[in-house]
Amino acid sequence: MFKLLKKIAGRKKRLKPDQSKNTLTEQNHQKEQFISAQIEENLDLMNEIYQIPHNGDVKIRELKLGGSGRKAAILFISSIADVRTVEDSAIKPLLANTRENAGIDEIIATQNVTAFSNIKSLVENINLGNAVIFLDGSTKAFTFDCANFQGRSVEKAESEVLIKGSKEALTEKVIVNLSLIRKRIKNENLIAESMTISKRSHNVVYILYIRNLADEKLIANVKKRLASLNVDAIQNLSLLEQYIEDRRLSLFPSLLYTERPDRATSFLEDGHIVLLMDNSPDSIVLPATFWSFFHTAEEHYLRFIFGNFVRVIRMVAMFITIFISAIYISVTTFHTEMIPADLLLAIAGTREKVPFPIFFEILLMEAAFELIREAGLRVPNPMGPTIGIVGALILGQAAVEANIISPIVIIVVALSGLTSFTVSDISLNFALRIIRFLFILSAGVFGIYGMTALFIMGLFYLVSLKSFGVPYLAPMSPHYVSSGDTIFRRVLTHENFRPGYLKPVDIKKKGDGAAK
Amino acid sequence: MKQSEGKIGIRELMAIIMLSVGTKLTDDTPSILYSTAKNSAWMSMLLIGIVSIIPVFFLVKVFSVHKDKNLHQLNIHLFGKFVGNMVSFGLLLFGFTALVLDSATYADIISTMYFTKTPFLPIYLILLIVCGYGAKRGIEHIGSTAWLTIFYLKITLFIALLISFLQGEFKMIYPLWGPGIGEIVKTAGRNISVFADFYYLGLIAPLVSSYKSFKKGTLLAYLIVAIELVIPLIIFVMIFDFTSIEIMQYPFHEMILYISLGFLTNVETIFLPFWLIASFIRFSFYLYLVVLLFGGVFKIKEFEFLIPVIVVLVLFSGLAPKYGEFTIPHLREFFLTTLSPIFFGLPCLMLFIAKVRGDFKHEAAKESH
């Protein structure tokens, strides 16, 4: 009885097409069809696929060819296609045509016209912003390029700011990004392979590499990882990054994320692979080493000494960020003998009325700093400076006067917070901020001993990390042939080699004494 | 470029040797030497350095014809299955004892010199946990870590020694011959096993990228380490003079307590982290060797999984003698004396057997083909 009821219900369901056509498989099935010679049938099918007229921006223009009087129809999505091109280069010539048996490709005045006979490719083309022409009596439909997605124009780089060097940044339009990179590498061997990585939204990723330079195995490995994705939608590179990285729970990033086309280009020229996507104002560089996160583009644009000076400052800043709070805790709690007597008295004097242990004091202030930082990032623009002043000055001052915090702690925490900004890469920046707390904890428990134990464990961990098969601290250890661009950089004319850990096809990038 | 998975290069090898043998100057090895050779301990050390080259060289020589074997496999190859296994087992016992005694000594240094209020157990526990983690990462990463840190460690050591040298009194090394040549030679003979670590290096010989790197790296590092051990022995005497140095257990740490740097009167906490890093790497390496040998002797392929077990064993063995306050230094002295003839004799025996078996001729024949 129950089964019977179910059968009847099922039959009813099958009779109602609207309800069952929403699944992905049925949609795909619909697209498997071929174009019919009857234009009405084609248009009906398209109406169904695009749900016209519910879908407001999908437009169909029906017309009769001027010469033969055959029925034709042009279909496009007006929000992503350039309407002017469609009107001027397609509709106008079609109507004005006088020859009786002229082919579509002879009438249309666009950069290319391609004929398709299956619905699937047509739909793909329309979704990419192209227009399709159906012709009565023809089992082929014609598409031409007229995509025009809206987006920003090329603007200044905002998170990787330089004083000397190019100011351009990548934008959300992948075509623009490709153009920015091709502007820098005028070589036919720069390949931009495209690959669809998601099932529903059809997001396309571009794999850029230089043929005869990048390692074939590496390229194959990247393609394999991208092809193995089984996801409905991956909107942009920040999300893609988390799908393809080596260790998803690791504190350290393994893919470099840069918004500067010049940086991406120099990595390409060294044999790295760059990924680009629509909707991402940045590129992913892989494989990435620790050093690539530590560097910025400017150190190579600045002269040798200046560039290395910046590197020294950044290295010192990194150490201060990670260690200074922890060192303050361990020295004042465990190793007081090493502080000169006068300073010790000064510290003791300021702490006279503070009721908390130093460990707690530092933790409190570091947490407050993180709060101010996060809040400062999220507040609407006009209020930003106010938050900074309220947070840093008033809060700090008041905390000291209320005897909750000693003034030296403010200095220590301000220093550790300020120096963390010298690392421009956001992933490494986060890693350092979190590591700082780990060190504070270890210093609170075991002083210098605990810090050193954590440090050496961290180092063991760091050297064992790999990004697409490349050791994280290469080429420093394990050693590889390279230009030795690690903590310091060499004189530009002596940076003769591409990094050996990438196994580039051509390891040498300059003649000896490149500028004699 | 040529490096393949799991192998270390000459840089990493040298860094490991320099850290694991070089740190001996910071533990109670100097005081063992000072106890008998008095202020001429450096001469004993020099003598040890000169004499030890023989077994080290022999060992390297034997490996020239067995490039793909490690020490354990070589033992089986040379001595036969039963005796070879027994030799390796003996080596394992010695290695394990060395690991226990040395790590307990180091934990003792930390607890008596720097963390006097902290109980011994947590200090020892952390030391072993960190080293267990390092050993689990494998030789490749121990090597990389050693190479990344060695310059900073050696520079700070150099600075400490330089300051001590400047603050010391050169005249104190006299009388030059100390307790007499006989005593110096005897001390050297008893403690020749200071360099016994080099024998255990045979265990990682096939893990070095090429035999050439192994040979060059070992010999070069040997030279550096020998010098590195002799000079501080002179400097310690220059600072403390011979009567006080005999009763000091850890002269290096007394030294960095003693010296001052400008406005900083107590600088030992500045040197402490560097010394700790060296010690962590050293015991990671020792632990790795012991586990590797254990896996070899008992035919356990995935020996990394033994590390937690060995760590626990070391922890309890290391804790036991602690309760007899003065036992560890005595045990260490006894241990060094016992190991000395073995360290000197085994490589000679191995070379002799290899010669008798005609391994060298085979190799020559193979190469000429």
Side-chain angles (χ1 to χ4, degrees):
Chain A
M1 182 69 186
F2 191 68
K3 267 185 189 171
L4 195 74
L5 274 175
K6 224 178 180 182
K7 244 185 194 172
I8 294 167
R11 206 177 294 154
K12 262 189 185 168
K13 232 180 214 172
R14 239 173 284 144
L15 288 175
K16 275 190 189 169
D18 282 358
Q19 280 181 353
S20 60
K21 267 178 193 157
N22 284 332
T23 64
L24 193 61
T25 39
E26 288 201 28
Q27 278 173 18
N28 282 338
H29 184 68
Q30 214 171 28
K31 285 189 259 174
E32 293 300 312
Q33 300 180 37
F34 287 92
I35 293 167
S36 131
Q38 300 289 319
I39 190 167
E40 281 80 12
E41 262 178 48
N42 292 331
L43 291 182
D44 282 348
L45 185 61
M46 296 316 271
N47 277 340
E48 212 169 280
I49 290 176
Y50 280 102
Q51 297 280 309
I52 308 171
H54 298 304
N55 232 341
D57 56 347
V58 184
K59 300 276 158 65
I60 298 183
R61 165 77 158 94
E62 288 179 68
L63 51 94
K64 277 185 180 161
L65 292 197
S68 58
R70 278 163 82 183
K71 268 194 194 167
I74 300 182
L75 192 153
F76 58 95
I77 303 177
S78 59
S79 54
I80 56 173
D82 186 14
V83 179
R84 167 100 332 149
T85 313
V86 177
E87 286 172 356
D88 289 356
S89 315
I91 300 179
K92 226 184 242 174
L94 282 173
L95 290 173
N97 164 48
T98 49
R99 277 174 56 207
E100 204 160 292
N101 45 5
I104 289 287
D105 49 340
E106 291 167 52
I107 303 172
I108 303 251
T110 50
Q111 49 179 332
N112 64 336
V113 177
T114 325
F116 288 106
S117 53
N118 59 336
I119 297 289
K120 199 178 173 197
S121 350
L122 278 188
V123 170
E124 270 169 22
N125 263 289
I126 295 169
N127 292 346
L128 288 176
N130 300 338
V132 171
I133 304 175
F134 291 104
L135 197 60
D136 195 25
S138 163
T139 54
K140 286 199 166 148
F142 306 86
T143 73
F144 58 90
D145 283 6
C146 59
N148 181 24
F149 288 92
Q150 299 305 314
R152 285 192 298 164
S153 53
V154 179
E155 281 168 24
K156 270 192 173 183
E158 276 182 0
S159 52
E160 291 173 74
V161 188
L162 304 190
I163 297 170
K164 192 176 175 185
S166 129
K167 305 279 188 293
E168 283 171 342
L170 298 173
T171 73
E172 283 84 353
K173 282 165 96 172
V174 74
I175 293 299
V176 175
N177 295 350
L178 264 174
S179 148
L180 287 176
I181 289 175
R182 282 218 193 260
K183 186 169 84 177
R184 290 169 169 84
I185 307 177
K186 298 201 170 72
N187 187 335
E188 70 282 5
N189 283 328
L190 171 62
I191 310 290
E193 271 187 55
S194 65
M195 193 174 200
T196 310
I197 47 166
S198 61
K199 301 271 183 284
R200 265 180 199 269
S201 296
H202 299 288
N203 301 101
V204 176
V205 63
Y206 284 82
I207 310 165
L208 271 70
Y209 57 88
I210 299 185
R211 203 159 54 98
N212 300 332
L213 196 66
D215 181 27
E216 293 288 334
K217 272 188 206 154
L218 179 66
I219 300 170
N221 182 5
V222 172
K223 281 190 203 161
K224 205 180 89 194
R225 258 194 231 192
L226 288 172
S228 69
L229 294 174
N230 181 10
V231 192
D232 275 359
I234 298 176
Q235 206 188 80
N236 51 39
L237 284 175
S238 324
L239 299 172
L240 180 66
E241 179 189 2
Q242 296 169 54
Y243 282 105
I244 59 171
E245 66 188 344
D246 286 79
R247 297 193 190 209
R248 297 195 176 94
L249 292 178
S250 170
L251 209 50
F252 293 94
S254 62
L255 299 173
L256 177 69
Y257 203 75
T258 176
E259 60 164 354
R260 302 188 58 86
D262 51 341
R263 215 165 167 223
T265 305
S266 66
F267 276 112
L268 273 174
E269 283 165 342
D270 272 352
H272 288 260
I273 295 179
V274 168
L275 301 183
L276 290 179
M277 250 176 107
D278 257 323
N279 312 317
S280 309
D282 6 54
S283 57
I284 281 184
V285 177
L286 52 89
T289 61
F290 175 78
W291 309 113
S292 58
F293 297 99
F294 172 65
H295 297 161
T296 69
E298 190 155 31
E299 286 119 39
H300 268 89
Y301 298 154
L302 290 173
R303 293 182 56 243
F304 170 71
I305 293 176
F306 310 153
N308 279 327
F309 178 67
V310 174
R311 291 262 175 100
V312 172
I313 289 180
R314 189 169 308 132
M315 202 62 186
V316 171
M318 239 169 85
F319 272 82
I320 292 180
T321 301
I322 301 176
F323 291 123
I324 191 147
S325 304
I327 287 178
Y328 180 71
I329 293 175
S330 37
V331 165
T332 46
T333 346
F334 292 89
H335 314 280
T336 37
E337 75 282 353
M338 81 165 290
I339 311 174
D342 295 341
L343 184 59
L344 191 63
L345 285 175
I347 293 176
T350 57
R351 284 187 44 76
E352 212 171 18
K353 287 179 188 163
V354 178
F356 306 118
I358 290 176
F359 172 71
F360 186 73
E361 228 183 308
I362 288 268
L363 213 55
L364 200 72
M365 211 51 213
E366 286 280 4
F369 189 88
E370 291 295 328
L371 282 176
I372 294 169
R373 185 170 178 167
E374 184 60 24
L377 202 63
R378 306 288 162 213
V379 283
N381 252 349
M383 285 166 67
T386 331
I387 289 282
I389 292 164
V390 170
L393 282 174
I394 303 183
L395 203 70
Q397 185 98 30
V400 169
E401 279 175 12
N403 288 326
I404 296 176
I405 305 286
S406 61
I408 291 182
V409 168
I410 301 250
I411 300 177
V412 168
V413 172
L415 208 57
S416 91
L418 198 66
T419 47
S420 73
F421 290 105
T422 54
V423 175
S424 69
D425 184 87
I426 185 156
S427 303
L428 188 63
N429 196 305
F430 267 110
L432 293 183
R433 278 159 64 189
I434 295 170
I435 289 168
R436 180 171 66 198
F437 281 100
L438 297 183
F439 272 104
I440 288 174
L441 286 180
S442 66
V445 181
F446 260 107
I448 295 273
Y449 183 52
M451 284 171 64
T452 318
L454 185 66
F455 176 75
I456 202 79
M457 276 172 96
L459 207 55
F460 276 131
Y461 177 70
L462 263 186
V463 293
S464 67
L465 274 184
K466 279 195 170 124
S467 162
F468 284 82
V470 170
Y472 206 48
L473 290 175
M476 194 179 251
S477 181
H479 180 78
Y480 286 95
V481 176
S482 75
S483 292
D485 186 14
T486 52
I487 297 179
F488 296 107
R489 79 167 177 91
R490 291 185 195 157
V491 180
L492 211 53
T493 45
H494 292 254
E495 292 198 329
N496 291 343
F497 296 104
R498 298 199 164 86
Y501 48 82
L502 294 173
K503 305 190 175 56
V505 181
D506 182 10
I507 186 111
K508 205 142 191 218
K509 62 176 173 183
K510 279 172 203 168
D512 292 318
K516 255 174 204 165
Chain B
M1 267 281 289
K2 280 177 239 151
Q3 264 173 353
S4 51
E5 278 301 294
K7 296 218 169 188
I8 57 173
I10 182 167
R11 290 175 180 77
E12 284 82 11
L13 177 71
M14 283 181 64
I16 289 180
I17 300 174
M18 281 159 73
L19 284 189
S20 56
V21 187
T23 42
K24 288 195 177 187
L25 76 95
T26 65
D27 56 26
D28 58 349
T29 314
S31 71
I32 292 174
L33 292 175
Y34 283 127
S35 68
T36 47
K38 314 281 172 187
N39 65 331
S40 303
W42 63 276
M43 280 195 201
S44 301
M45 195 63 227
L46 194 65
L47 204 61
I48 293 173
I50 293 166
V51 175
S52 292
I53 191 79
I54 299 168
V56 172
F57 186 74
F58 282 0
L59 192 74
V60 171
K61 187 89 190 147
V62 177
F63 275 104
S64 72
V65 287
H66 298 287
K67 286 169 192 166
D68 51 344
K69 289 193 178 67
N70 72 21
L71 190 63
H72 170 63
Q73 289 153 341
L74 192 64
N75 281 338
I76 289 180
H77 176 79
L78 290 178
F79 299 115
K81 206 166 182 186
F82 179 72
V83 183
N85 263 322
M86 287 311 286
V87 171
S88 290
F89 186 68
L91 284 177
L92 175 62
L93 282 185
F94 273 111
F96 182 77
T97 320
L99 176 61
V100 170
L101 289 178
D102 286 1
S103 59
T105 306
Y106 275 64
D108 184 55
I109 294 174
I110 298 167
S111 72
T112 54
M113 306 294 290
Y114 300 100
F115 289 84
T116 41
K117 286 179 199 155
T118 317
F120 182 76
L121 177 67
I123 288 177
Y124 199 31
L125 190 67
I126 286 187
L127 176 72
L128 288 177
I129 287 175
V130 172
C131 296
Y133 181 77
K136 181 78 179 63
R137 297 272 131 188
I139 186 70
E140 199 186 356
H141 302 134
I142 296 175
S144 285
T145 311
W147 171 249
L148 286 173
T149 49
I150 185 136
F151 287 104
Y152 309 102
L153 305 183
K154 293 297 166 191
I155 285 170
T156 44
L157 175 69
F158 178 74
I159 291 172
L161 290 176
L162 189 72
I163 298 170
S164 317
F165 182 77
L166 294 175
Q167 292 182 1
E169 188 66 53
F170 193 71
K171 275 182 277 181
M172 289 185 185
I173 69 163
Y174 297 107
L176 205 58
W177 297 105
I181 295 177
E183 197 57 42
I184 293 174
V185 175
K186 257 194 268 173
T187 310
R190 265 203 302 275
N191 296 305
I192 199 163
S193 56
V194 168
F195 287 113
D197 305 52
F198 279 90
Y199 188 68
Y200 285 88
L201 273 185
L203 280 171
I204 57 161
L207 297 176
V208 182
S209 55
S210 68
Y211 170 72
K212 219 176 118 195
S213 315
F214 175 67
K215 183 179 165 187
K216 216 168 124 190
T218 309
L219 295 178
L220 203 59
Y222 178 83
L223 189 74
I224 296 171
V225 163
I227 296 169
E228 198 187 321
L229 285 181
V230 172
I231 290 173
L233 287 178
I234 303 175
I235 291 176
F236 294 156
V237 176
M238 283 170 56
I239 285 248
F240 298 115
D241 206 354
F242 76 100
T243 39
S244 46
I245 201 128
E246 285 162 45
I247 51 166
M248 273 176 195
Q249 208 176 357
Y250 309 117
F252 175 79
H253 299 275
E254 300 284 355
M255 180 188 87
I256 58 175
L257 276 173
Y258 184 79
I259 58 178
S260 59
L261 225 174
F263 68 96
L264 289 173
T265 44
N266 294 302
V267 288
E268 71 275 9
T269 322
I270 297 176
F271 296 111
L272 172 68
F274 295 96
W275 172 78
L276 279 174
I277 288 173
S279 318
F280 282 132
I281 293 173
R282 177 183 178 184
F283 291 114
S284 301
F285 178 60
Y286 278 11
L287 193 60
Y288 179 80
L289 287 185
V290 165
V291 176
L292 185 70
L293 191 54
F294 192 94
V297 173
F298 295 104
K299 298 191 179 55
I300 300 166
K301 270 227 172 92
E302 299 193 334
F303 56 85
E304 286 100 352
F305 295 107
L306 292 171
I307 287 169
V309 183
I310 302 278
V311 163
V312 172
L313 273 179
V314 172
L315 179 70
F316 286 112
S317 330
L319 281 178
K322 176 68 194 164
Y323 298 110
E325 186 63 37
F326 295 101
T327 42
I328 284 188
H330 281 289
L331 278 176
R332 251 181 69 80
E333 211 171 331
F334 173 73
F335 176 74
L336 279 173
T337 318
T338 328
L339 195 59
S340 291
I342 297 172
F343 165 59
F344 196 83
L346 258 180
C348 304
L349 190 65
M350 284 168 81
L351 186 72
F352 178 71
I353 294 178
K355 281 259 186 217
V356 170
R357 286 175 57 108
D359 285 351
F360 285 91
K361 274 182 210 154
H362 288 312
E363 190 64 18
K366 229 194 275 172
E367 263 165 28
S368 66
H369 274 298

